[in-house]
Every structure is written in structure tokens, then in C-alpha cells.
Amino acid sequence: MILWILGLSAAYAVALNGTMVMPVVVLAMSKLAGYDEGLATVVASAELAGVAIYGIFLPKLAVRSWRPVAIVGLLAVILGEAASFWQQTPALLAGARFVTGLGEGAIFSIVAMNLASLANAERLWGALALIGGTAMGILLFVVSLMPHQEAEAPVFLTLTLFAALMAPLFLLIAKRPMAMERATAHSKLDRSKMLLTMVIVFMVYAVQAGQWAICGYVGERVGLSNAEVGFYLAVSSLAGFVGAIVPSMTQDKSKRLPFVMLGFLVMAVSVYYLFNIFTPVVFISTQILVNVGFFIVTPFVTGVLTENDPDGSLMSRILVIAIVGATLGTAVAGPVFVSAGPAAFAWSCLLPLALAAICAVMVFGHLHRGLPVAAKSGMTE
């Protein structure tokens, strides 16, 4: 079991590291000769397009045999990252990022397929977020310290090396235990509850990405240099994965809703203080806590969806929803922050979080009412 989780954690890290280090990638591109921040953002978004296209059209490709998909996915990521270092023209660089995204989508589908329909999926996702997320946090910390040059973007060589180092651990995915407890009828959601859960995913990722996109401006306002902002954001991302301990250790399913509400509360309070009280201590602590809250909430939500996912294809499509939410959150964050100010921006984050919390009450409250008495007392898992 431990080896299998380690293998899936490596796949999780390779599949999602592109979204984790996206701000650094955009910054590195913006320093290339002939690029500005707008062009860098457009070119970098080709990677997200690759992930989305795979999730929409090819999510079931790994069901029959996951090994060929894993090999091709890894090669696509490694070659795409390496080509991104050598290619600087916008079209070719966008093509390299697109190939990387396709590979990441393929690898994520393997993770989703391995967890599909399993009981206690939130604990498994929590473990993946804790182990794989720590690896991604270290990666972000390393690339945030790298210099940016006009002739090349060395960050892509680091991403290539990261994928290559993770590749041997993929072999551990074959260590999947033969007998694993399946989700019961008490985990099933009807169509309306599934839609509510998707709303939660969309809103949470939109808020997280939106505040992440412009928190650098707050760092400048409190007197931190660009290098210091990058350093503290990397540290906060790494520390934030501690939040995944909560879902990974939760054995009583009746406690899911209280913990999810705790995660939302931590995120909301952190966002409010981040954009209303401007000191270095508040900036650093709120960035850590908003990530902690995020990684408390998301494994529980993805766990519920996974228990209703027959083959992993649902979670691949949910990743697309998360990407769309993050993209829209990033797109509107700048204009709202500039035109309305930081306090108004805080409320523009709090309202979606409140909506997501209401949806969570309806979803997890419904599941809690359907739990057997023994499960409510934590006696069976």
C-alpha cells in the first residue's frame, strides 16, 4: 500500500507541477527577448489547454492498459519541458507547452483511474497531496530562486529534471493492492449533488488562483522585493501542504463537513486579512494559511467525486473544471484589484467561498445523513 501511494504521489507531482509553478514560468517567459507579460501568459496557457483537451477527449485511454499511457505521458512531459528551454519563438514554445500539458493530463488520468470508486478516497487524496505536494513545493522553492535571462529560461531544465527524477517511481504504481475496499451506496450522489460538488471545485480553484495571481502586488505594497515575494510564496506553498494532513488522517466520515467548513473559514479569514492589513508578517502568515485551508478542503471534495467515479474519467474532467476556474480567477483578479482596490477584491473572493461553503453543507450534509450509525460513530471505515 505504501509503495503504491508513493508511486501515485510521484505521478500526482508530475501531473500538477505545471499549475504549481505557473507564475514562475510566466515570469521566466516575460524576461525572454521579445516577450511581455501578456504574450508570456498566452504562451504559458497552452500547457493548460493541453491538460484540458486530454481530460475532455481522452480520459478513458488508460483504462485498458495504463503502462503505455504512463510512458507516453512521461515522454511528452520530459520532451515538452526540454523543448521549452530550446525554443523561444512564440509558436514553437506554445507547441512545447501544449505537448507538456497533454502529457500531464495523461499522467493525471492514471492517478484518477487508480483511485476511482475506492472507499475513503479523501484519505488517499490527502496522502497524495501531502507527499506529492511536498515534492512540488520543494520544486517551486528551487525554481523561484533561479535567475531569469533574456536568452533562455533555465526553469524548464529544472522541470525536465524533476519529471525525469520522478519517472522511476511510476513503477511503484504496479504495486496496487489486489483487494481494496470499494465505495458503498452511502457515498453515492445524484446529479444535482454532483453539480453542487463541481461548483465547489470551480469556486475554490478560482479564488485560490485569483488571490495567488495578484498577491505579489500586496508583497510590493508591504515593502518586500520581488525576490523576497517569490521566496515567501514558495515557502508558503510548501508549508500549505500541511493542511493535507487533516483529510489524510480523518477516519470518521461524519467529521468531513466540520473539517471542510474549517478549511473554508481558514481560507476566508486569511484572504480578508491579506487584502486589508498590510504588513510583512500578515502577508507571509496569510499566504501559508490560505494554502493550508485549500489543502484541507480539496481532498475531501475530490474524495467524494472519486467515490462516484467508475473509471477515473470523471476526475479527469473535474480537473478541467478546476483549470477553467483557476484561469478565470486569474483573468479577473488583476482588473478587479486595480479598479476596485484590495478591500473590494477581498470581498470578491469571500463571496464565492461563501457560495462554495453553502454547496458543501448541502453535499456533505446529505452524505452524513445517509451514513450508517456505526460509521457515524467512527467504528467502521
Side-chain angles (χ1 to χ4, degrees), residues 279-301:
T279 67
V281 173
V282 170
F283 173 78
I284 297 165
S285 59
T286 54
Q287 275 301 298
I288 292 174
L289 289 173
V290 76
N291 283 304
V292 168
F294 178 80
F295 284 105
I296 290 175
V297 171
T298 50
F300 284 113
V301 178

Side-chain angles (χ1 to χ4, degrees), residues 192-255:
S192 64
K193 297 298 188 301
M194 289 290 286
L195 290 175
L196 289 175
T197 310
M198 294 176 190
V199 170
I200 299 172
V201 171
F202 181 88
M203 293 298 180
V204 170
Y205 275 85
V207 170
Q208 175 73 354
Q211 68 86 31
W212 171 263
I214 53 92
C215 64
Y217 296 129
V218 178
E220 292 178 353
R221 177 172 292 200
V222 301
L224 299 175
S225 67
N226 288 337
E228 288 173 325
V229 169
F231 173 79
Y232 288 128
L233 290 182
V235 170
S236 67
S237 296
L238 181 58
F241 285 107
V242 172
I245 293 175
V246 174
S248 66
M249 299 296 291
T250 300
Q251 298 186 14
D252 185 352
K253 285 187 175 293
S254 67
K255 293 181 179 178

Side-chain angles (χ1 to χ4, degrees), residues 48-65:
L48 300 180
V51 176
I53 287 177
Y54 192 95
I56 293 172
F57 297 107
L58 302 170
K60 297 185 179 183
L61 201 59
V63 172
R64 291 186 177 181
S65 179

Side-chain angles (χ1 to χ4, degrees), residues 69-80:
V69 175
I71 293 172
V72 173
L74 269 171
L75 288 175
V77 171
I78 293 172
L79 294 177

Side-chain angles (χ1 to χ4, degrees), residues 250-267:
T250 300
Q251 298 186 14
D252 185 352
K253 285 187 175 293
S254 67
K255 293 181 179 178
R256 289 180 299 187
L257 180 56
F259 282 139
V260 169
M261 291 298 104
L262 173 63
F264 277 124
L265 180 61
V266 171
M267 287 188 71

Side-chain angles (χ1 to χ4, degrees), residues 2-12 111 169-173:
I2 295 176
L3 293 178
W4 175 62
I5 290 177
L6 184 60
L8 288 181
S9 297
Y12 176 91
V111 176
L169 296 176
F170 278 45
L171 297 174
L172 299 178
I173 298 176

